[in-house]
Amino acid sequence: MKQFQPFLLGSDINVYGMARAFHEQYGIVSKAYAHFQLAPTRYSRIVDVTIVPDFDELDAFKRYMLELGSSFKARNPDTVALLIPCGDVYADLLSQCGDELRKYFVYNTLDDALSRRLSYKSSFYRICEEFKLPHPRTATFDREAVARGDYRNLPFGFPVAMKPANSVEWLGIEFEGRKKAFIIDTPEELESLIQKSYKAGYTSEMVIQDFIPGGDDRMRVLNAYVDQHHRVRMMFLGHPLLEDPTPVAVGNYAAILPDYDEEVFRRIAAFLEGIGYEGVANFDMKFDVRDQTYKLFEINLRQGRSSYFVTLNGFNLARYFVDDLVEDSAFDGKTVFGRGDKLWLEIPRSIFRTYVADNSDKQTALSMIKSGNWGSTLEYSKDMNPLRWLLIRHMFNIYKKGYSRYFIKKADKS
């Protein structure tokens, strides 16, 4: 095997999950770069984080990465520098760089035009229609349409979901009550939130959707690895049982059971290969009991923050990156549709027991916990020290306070 060094972009739980995957599979310490430090990678011995000023800006990002790549190659001419973006901002920056960094790094990225079509929820739904992939009934409004009040005449009733089409721009918007996405019960609530969004400086389109009834247990999350030759090598489906209810993290998965659906796998694989995708794709979808279909919400152009659940269940994501980009290994054309038997948790087990709805899925998960068939991203026995242990306990206490304050039963909105 060729020598390689993972370079990860970001400092969040997604980065830690990838660093852990590399450490588990290869015993290697990853290097990470970000514009600020987040808790999940603090006090770690498996990932070295460097904070770079203005690293979320294209010019600074490109300049730093070119200098970093040149310096690393000069010192390590026989080592492959494997570059992996672990967040929306960094995936977007890398797509804007195109091939400029390839003299020093190997990486997956999409051309900027395709990246933008997939990242913007409004254009993503148009692509879904081309491939006959179901998605929620959707109305999209640009800034001028919002100024005219066009959103007051929706083609569907309440409740509705509202989310920004441009999730990267949304990260920089601040106002009281801001969330990643909203579930809205009344026209008055919609009026208030959409006006606040644009007054706070948001400029891109806003997506308003028919709310699919039911709670977190009707969600599904799918991760796929597509190699540099646009072939889907692996797919793994998860069944979320609980999401984070806090405003800044609403919608982030907190507990996931492994799942399997060959029809979903085949339809998404055909879509990914049809558009010439490469890299990890992360899809969120929800089962609609009204017409018995899974409806796509979005695609993330990188592994999701919960994607360690794929590695946990035996399909180590680091190995797919290495086999593809470092080794360019042979592929027989047979996509692996993963099956698993381990529950993934980001939260304390007490939160799981308290807030997950009582049903057969919860009983299955509780049996997994009892038998030891579960795991979390952050609690890695080979990367534990007193400071890190205290940090994780502190994070878990924050989760407990967040659920106590913000949790609602989404099923009540059906």
Side-chain angles (χ1 to χ4, degrees):
M1 174 180 287
K2 297 176 183 176
Q3 288 186 316
F4 69 93
Q5 173 63 55
F7 289 83
L8 310 178
L9 302 178
S11 65
D12 63 358
I13 193 171
N14 189 345
V15 171
Y16 191 82
M18 281 307 307
R20 180 171 174 179
F22 278 107
H23 194 264
E24 287 181 357
Q25 187 74 29
Y26 303 105
I28 195 168
V29 175
S30 298
K31 298 181 182 297
Y33 301 84
H35 65 290
F36 60 90
Q37 175 72 63
L38 289 169
T41 50
R42 284 188 185 276
Y43 312 124
S44 171
R45 292 191 295 261
I46 67 168
V47 56
D48 295 327
V49 180
T50 298
I51 303 305
V52 182
D54 301 321
F55 199 55
D56 56 340
E57 300 293 334
L58 180 59
D59 289 343
F61 173 83
K62 188 188 300 184
R63 181 172 60 252
Y64 187 88
M65 293 307 298
L66 287 170
E67 292 173 357
L68 175 66
S70 175
S71 169
F72 180 80
K73 279 299 181 185
R75 299 191 315 271
N76 307 275
D78 298 322
T79 302
V80 178
L82 173 57
L83 182 61
I84 302 175
C86 296
D88 292 330
V89 169
Y90 300 116
D92 180 58
L93 290 170
L94 192 57
S95 73
Q96 292 183 65
C97 289
D99 292 332
E100 288 186 64
L101 306 183
R102 293 196 191 278
K103 66 178 77 173
Y104 305 121
F105 299 95
V106 296
Y107 53 89
N108 285 313
T109 193
L110 305 176
D111 72 73
D112 195 39
L114 179 58
S115 174
R116 291 183 182 279
R117 288 184 69 206
L118 294 172
S119 296
Y120 280 58
K121 292 178 178 64
S122 49
S123 52
F124 170 64
Y125 294 134
R126 288 192 286 272
I127 299 175
C128 286
E129 289 167 5
E130 293 174 22
F131 284 84
K132 296 182 170 53
L133 293 174
H135 62 83
R137 295 177 65 194
T138 300
T140 303
F141 303 94
D142 61 20
R143 184 168 50 175
E144 289 73 24
V146 169
R148 292 194 303 267
D150 293 358
Y151 57 88
R152 299 183 185 116
N153 298 296
L154 296 172
F156 39 79
F158 287 83
V160 299
M162 186 183 86
K163 60 192 75 172
N166 187 344
S167 57
V168 173
E169 183 188 357
W170 189 250
L171 291 173
I173 304 300
E174 293 292 341
F175 62 88
E176 185 177 356
R178 173 193 172 275
K179 300 180 181 179
K180 287 176 59 179
F182 302 89
I183 299 172
I184 298 173
D185 292 306
T186 66
E188 293 76 19
E189 189 181 358
L190 172 61
E191 184 78 27
S192 173
L193 286 170
I194 200 167
Q195 290 296 333
K196 282 182 180 179
S197 300
Y198 285 90
K199 285 178 182 176
Y202 184 65
T203 63
S204 299
E205 293 176 318
M206 191 66 76
V207 173
I208 301 176
Q209 293 179 323
D210 175 34
F211 176 72
I212 298 175
D216 296 346
D217 60 328
R218 291 189 187 162
M219 294 296 296
R220 296 294 185 275
V221 56
L222 186 149
N223 279 269
Y225 188 87
V226 190
D227 69 20
Q228 61 184 308
H229 308 293
H230 315 298
R231 304 169 304 192
V232 180
R233 293 202 178 201
M234 181 275 296
M235 309 184 84
F236 196 87
L237 184 65
H239 179 178
L241 301 184
L242 189 66
E243 296 182 6
D244 192 322
T246 57
V248 296
V250 65
N252 290 341
Y253 300 127
I256 304 177
L257 277 174
D259 202 354
Y260 187 91
D261 191 312
E262 196 161 320
E263 180 182 355
V264 170
F265 287 145
R266 294 193 183 280
R267 293 186 74 176
I268 298 296
F271 167 74
L272 290 168
E273 292 184 351
I275 62 174
Y277 195 87
E278 64 175 275
V280 174
N282 172 255
F283 293 87
D284 294 316
M285 62 190 81
K286 189 174 185 181
F287 186 71
D288 191 339
V289 295
R290 298 171 297 183
D291 59 8
Q292 300 292 298
T293 61
Y294 285 108
K295 293 182 177 172
L296 293 181
F297 283 168
E298 65 180 344
I299 178 176
N300 296 304
L301 311 183
R302 37 76 185 173
Q303 60 277 27
R305 68 190 309 279
S306 61
S307 62
Y308 180 76
F309 88 91
V310 181
T311 297
L312 177 67
N313 278 281
F315 302 90
N316 189 299
L317 283 175
R319 179 165 53 85
Y320 286 95
F321 280 104
V322 172
D323 286 351
D324 174 26
L325 296 174
V326 177
E327 300 291 334
D328 196 11
S329 62
F331 176 56
D332 61 8
K334 296 178 182 178
T335 302
V336 173
F337 297 156
R339 293 183 185 270
D341 61 0
K342 288 184 172 59
L343 170 73
W344 174 84
L345 295 177
E346 186 183 330
I347 50 174
R349 285 164 286 176
S350 60
I351 289 180
F352 181 86
R353 295 187 180 101
T354 301
Y355 293 97
V356 173
D358 288 322
N359 53 35
S360 60
D361 292 323
K362 181 176 183 178
Q363 294 309 311
T364 297
L366 289 173
S367 295
M368 288 178 168
I369 291 173
K370 186 175 181 179
S371 63
N373 287 332
W374 70 282
S376 67
T377 305
L378 296 177
E379 294 180 293
Y380 183 30
S381 61
K382 294 183 179 180
D383 187 32
M384 198 59 69
N385 56 65
L387 284 175
R388 186 160 180 80
W389 186 90
L390 288 170
L391 175 68
I392 294 171
R393 301 284 79 73
H394 176 65
M395 292 173 67
F396 282 0
N397 284 331
I398 292 174
Y399 284 142
K400 290 177 181 178
K401 292 177 183 177
Y403 276 85
S404 176
R405 180 176 180 183
Y406 294 107
F407 184 81
I408 60 170
K409 293 182 179 179
K410 293 181 188 175
D412 292 344
K413 292 182 177 287
S414 58

